[in-house]
C-alpha cells in the first residue's frame, strides 16, 4: 500500500472540559485492518448515540466515501477510557465488538451506582451505515 501520509494538528477548545488543546489528526485509512477500524468507529458512534456524556463525537462528510470524525473524551468517565482503549486496539488492527463495549459500559455504570444515560434524540444521533473509515 503506497499512501502518502499527511499529518496535521488540530487546535481548539476541548468541548467537554473547556480547556485549550492541540491534538494530532490521524488518518485511520492507514491502519492495518479496515474491518477493525470500521468496528471501532461504529462503536464510538453507538456510544455517542446512547448518550454517554464522556464522549463528544462530531463528523463531517468530506467526499462521497470519506468521513472525518472528531472525538473528544473525558478520561475520568468509563466511556472515555473505553473509547481510548477501543481506538488503540483498532490502530493496531484488532477489533472489539460494539455489543461487548456497550455491555461493559452498562456493567461499570451499574457497579459504580451510576445511572446509564438516555439515548440521544434521533436528530442528534449519527448514522454511519454508508460511511467509510
Amino acid at each position: 500500500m503506497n499512501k502518502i501520509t499527511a499529518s496535521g494538528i488540530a487546535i481548539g477548545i476541548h468541548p467537554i472540559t473547556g480547556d485549550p488543546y492541540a491534538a494530532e489528526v490521524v488518518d485511520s485509512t492507514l491502519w492495518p485492518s479496515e474491518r477493525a477500524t470500521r468496528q471501532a468507529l461504529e462503536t464510538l458512534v453507538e456510544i455517542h448515540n446512547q448518550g454517554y456524556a464522556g464522549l463528544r463525537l462530531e463528523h463531517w462528510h468530506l467526499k462521497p466515501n470519506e468521513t472525518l470524525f472528531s472525538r473528544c473524551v473525558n478520561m475520568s468517565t468509563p466511556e472515555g477510557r473505553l473509547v481510548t482503549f477501543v481506538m488503540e486496539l483498532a490502530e493496531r488492527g484488532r477489533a472489539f465488538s460494539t455489543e461487548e463495549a456497550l455491555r461493559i459500559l452498562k456493567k461499570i455504570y451499574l457497579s459504580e451506582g451510576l445511572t446509564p444515560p438516555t439515548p440521544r434524540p434521533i436528530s442528534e444521533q449519527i448514522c454511519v451505515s454508508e460511511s467509510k473509515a
Side-chain angles (χ1 to χ4, degrees), residues 18 39 48 69 75 103 113 127 133:
Q39 181 68 57
H48 164 85
F69 284 95
M75 291 297 286
R103 188 188 65 73
C127 177

Side-chain angles (χ1 to χ4, degrees), residues 118-133:
T118 302
R120 295 182 191 278
I122 296 294
S123 62
E124 295 177 18
Q125 292 191 13
I126 297 171
C127 177
V128 293
S129 61
E130 298 300 318
S131 300
K132 293 288 182 186

